[in-house]
Amino acid sequence: MNDVVHTKIVDKLRNEFPSTKIFTIPTGWAAINLAQMKLDNLLIDNINMFGPKSTSIFTDDKGHQGQIVIETGTLLWLEGIYNVNLNTNNYYTGFNTDLHSIAQEISSNHDTKYKN
């Protein structure tokens, strides 16, 4: 999916608007990674796959995000837009699971051609 977004949308927009900086932030991977961690019993917090926003990865079967995903996505935005170093950032996410490391791994795996 990233390749499709990058080549079919971002690259075309960059060609059409060469003076505009266009980049992507891979926040969708937060939900995917956290869901997989839940399945693998790797989350330190007591998080459900579905349920209330404060204690779940998803709030419904449509994929609306729970707070743990929102917090991880927020870290990705901080790194992606403001170049915040997630290894040294001390923003308190409200979770015991190391969301900074998860966000940093997602960001590290993101194609550098599409970063800010």
Side-chain angles (χ1 to χ4, degrees):
M1 182 53 111
N2 284 343
D3 291 338
V4 171
V5 169
H6 290 153
T7 59
K8 302 289 184 190
I9 299 172
V10 175
D11 289 347
K12 287 183 179 185
L13 287 170
R14 285 176 171 175
N15 287 333
E16 189 171 344
F17 304 100
S19 64
T20 302
K21 187 169 190 167
I22 300 172
F23 60 97
T24 59
I25 300 173
T27 57
W29 284 104
I32 293 167
N33 289 14
L34 290 165
Q36 187 61 54
M37 289 177 73
K38 168 65 178 163
L39 293 173
D40 295 340
N41 294 314
L42 296 175
L43 296 177
I44 296 171
D45 301 277
N46 185 16
I47 299 293
N48 298 309
M49 192 64 78
F50 296 95
K53 183 177 179 181
S54 61
T55 58
S56 302
I57 294 174
F58 302 107
T59 61
D60 56 33
D61 59 359
K62 293 179 182 178
H64 289 100
Q65 301 173 343
Q67 197 61 40
I68 194 166
V69 178
I70 292 168
E71 294 295 333
T72 308
T74 298
L75 293 170
L76 284 161
W77 279 85
L78 282 172
E79 193 273 340
I81 295 173
Y82 302 108
N83 296 312
V84 170
N85 183 337
L86 296 178
N87 293 320
T88 59
N89 179 265
N90 61 1
Y91 169 73
Y92 178 65
T93 65
F95 294 94
N96 295 313
T97 301
D98 187 357
L99 303 183
H100 286 76
S101 292
I102 295 167
Q104 182 60 57
E105 180 181 352
I106 293 167
S107 178
S108 294
N109 290 331
H110 191 51
D111 189 335
T112 57
K113 293 187 309 187
Y114 297 98
K115 288 185 174 186
N116 180 3

